[in-house]
Amino acid sequence: MKKGLTMAPHASSVTRRREILDGRPGFRIQSAWGHVSILEGGGHICELVSRKHGAVNPLWKPRWRTIDPSRYTQRKHNRVYGPPPEGRLLAGIAGHSISFDYFGPPSAEEIAAGHSTHGEAPVVDWRREAIPEGSIPRLAYVANLPQAQMRLRRAIALDRDYPVVYCEETAFNLGTFDRPISWNHHVTFGPPFLESGVTLFDMPATRSKVCPATFSKQMSIEPDAEFQWPNAPTKKGGLLNLRTTEAGKFGHYTAHLLDPALQTAFIAVCNPRLRLLVLYLFSRNEFPWVGNWEESCSRKHVPWSGREFCRGFEFSTTPFPIPRRETVTQGKLFDEATYTWLSAKGNASRRYMIVLLDVPETFKGVAAVDLKSGSVRVTERSTQTAFQTYAKDFL
């Protein structure tokens, strides 16, 4: 059994910085084991850095220079980041972003009304909220969503000594109608952590489905096919193991239903060469779906320009990134709901944890994750070896 890393205690803090990414302001939460960085523009978690792993950030940093999305104007930035509805989102996207209160593009009518892909949350400015000082470094910040008539609050706390991040989000419906919503965590990984044939992707998925052919002209897998994770049928008649990322130019998306028998679900992404395993743990009933999005230099338009290599492993209330009306109209998939409700003048909270673990170079991936008795216990796929670190009972 391998224990989590304990470091000598030193000052922990939360600071606002003018330069977090590409000259953009945000916050850094510092602890003994490393730090987490957050952008004010869009609220994205853009860095998860463990000193144990050479300060490697596993999250995606676009090759293009990003700006705060509130600075985007079509007249000035259309040729740099693309037109609506994606342009404003892509201008500021990085790392772990949130899609709220819908997942995917707006309808034609919503585009005409000024809405962006994936909702307001990833394109508005978030502001820090004053909270009492505690024994651990923590940050609370809030986004007002005037078009949606909602507010979204996120609180992030770091354990002082162990590489564990605790996140809680609360959504407030300021309107007087019950609302069908999507709540999606768009966790995207990039180089050097993401390597073809090296980085391993694991989750407790059961039934899966490929996106339609309209998603990408360069899909290597069969559109609309249903399959069992991780082996997706290819257009050439074989099977593609999605636990790793293939080489070449392609882009696709697959949706995965997580095991209904689980109380706590997870996504696990590991680069054995770097000895770093990234875990997200969350309630399976709150986030029953995982979207697997892969982009390997296939998108030629700006700002992609055929240069981006990244992969999103997205835990969500919703399987596919499509307009809200289509999500509601399609109803259940695999007998599971594809959206959730937020009551009139009501609120709802969701919690999840991020854990960074040190693993050997021979690590073969994650078979299971257990959260109990003050620890996270990871079972390796091939050897059934247990890897463990401290974590409080948060979920």
Side-chain angles (χ1 to χ4, degrees), residues 277-352:
L277 169 63
V278 181
L279 285 174
Y280 278 74
L281 292 86
F282 47 89
S283 166
R284 189 272 170 200
N285 288 336
E286 292 176 349
F287 298 108
W289 298 99
V290 168
N292 171 57
W293 168 62
E294 301 189 52
E295 168 55 29
S296 182
C297 304
S298 71
R299 300 185 181 194
K300 304 301 183 183
H301 57 281
V302 293
W304 303 94
S305 302
R307 302 188 305 165
E308 292 298 317
F309 178 52
C310 55
R311 182 166 176 175
F313 226 34
E314 311 166 15
F315 59 102
S316 181
T317 61
T318 303
F320 287 105
I322 56 179
R324 188 203 315 261
R325 186 183 301 177
E326 294 180 29
T327 296
V328 172
T329 301
Q330 76 173 1
K332 292 184 176 182
L333 177 63
F334 302 144
D335 203 34
E336 183 74 38
T338 58
Y339 58 93
T340 190
W341 287 91
L342 190 55
S343 299
K345 294 292 184 179
N347 63 79
S349 294
R350 301 286 187 268
R351 287 182 167 187
Y352 55 95

Side-chain angles (χ1 to χ4, degrees), residues 187-363:
V187 185
T188 307
F189 299 90
F193 182 74
L194 177 64
E195 293 185 73
S196 296
V198 175
T199 308
L200 303 172
F201 290 78
D202 289 300
M203 59 178 162
T206 54
R207 303 179 69 179
S208 305
K209 187 172 181 177
V210 183
C211 64
T214 53
F215 183 84
S216 172
K217 294 181 179 179
Q218 292 188 265
M219 287 172 55
S220 61
I221 55 180
E222 186 63 35
D224 294 310
E226 295 184 12
F227 65 99
Q228 296 290 319
W229 167 264
N231 297 313
T234 68
K235 292 179 177 179
K236 296 181 179 180
L239 293 174
L240 178 65
N241 188 336
L242 297 177
R243 291 193 60 239
T244 58
T245 301
E246 62 180 326
K249 295 184 178 182
F250 63 92
H252 58 238
Y253 182 96
T254 52
H256 307 271
L257 180 66
L258 297 176
D259 188 350
L262 294 176
Q263 180 176 355
T264 300
F266 66 89
I267 56 171
V269 185
C270 177
N271 184 313
R273 184 184 65 81
L274 298 175
R275 301 185 57 171
L276 175 59
L277 169 63
V278 181
L279 285 174
Y280 278 74
L281 292 86
F282 47 89
S283 166
R284 189 272 170 200
N285 288 336
E286 292 176 349
F287 298 108
W289 298 99
V290 168
N292 171 57
W293 168 62
E294 301 189 52
E295 168 55 29
S296 182
C297 304
S298 71
R299 300 185 181 194
K300 304 301 183 183
H301 57 281
V302 293
W304 303 94
S305 302
R307 302 188 305 165
E308 292 298 317
F309 178 52
C310 55
R311 182 166 176 175
F313 226 34
E314 311 166 15
F315 59 102
S316 181
T317 61
T318 303
F320 287 105
I322 56 179
R324 188 203 315 261
R325 186 183 301 177
E326 294 180 29
T327 296
V328 172
T329 301
Q330 76 173 1
K332 292 184 176 182
L333 177 63
F334 302 144
D335 203 34
E336 183 74 38
T338 58
Y339 58 93
T340 190
W341 287 91
L342 190 55
S343 299
K345 294 292 184 179
N347 63 79
S349 294
R350 301 286 187 268
R351 287 182 167 187
Y352 55 95
M353 298 168 56
I354 310 169
V355 181
L356 308 179
L357 275 176
D358 186 53
V359 295
E361 294 183 30
T362 56
F363 193 77

Side-chain angles (χ1 to χ4, degrees), residues 372-392:
K372 58 183 178 181
S373 302
S375 68
V376 172
R377 180 184 174 91
V378 175
T379 303
E380 187 181 10
R381 289 175 60 92
S382 59
T383 65
Q384 299 299 296
T385 302
F387 297 82
Q388 187 168 312
T389 189
Y390 162 82
K392 67 180 182 180

Side-chain angles (χ1 to χ4, degrees), residues 78-155:
N78 188 73
R79 294 183 179 181
V80 181
Y81 303 112
E86 281 195 334
R88 187 183 303 277
L89 173 73
L90 295 177
I93 199 167
H96 171 177
S97 63
I98 187 169
S99 304
F100 185 92
D101 66 324
Y102 54 86
F103 175 44
S107 68
E109 295 84 356
E110 289 170 334
I111 293 173
H115 294 282
S116 299
T117 298
H118 295 334
E120 282 178 274
V123 297
V124 299
D125 289 333
W126 293 58
R127 60 175 177 80
R128 185 174 184 178
E129 183 177 82
I131 55 175
E133 291 188 8
S135 59
I136 59 175
R138 54 183 183 155
L139 167 74
Y141 62 125
V142 180
N144 292 318
L145 314 178
Q147 293 175 319
Q149 297 185 57
M150 293 190 181
R151 184 169 67 251
L152 191 60
R153 179 185 188 271
R154 177 185 286 159

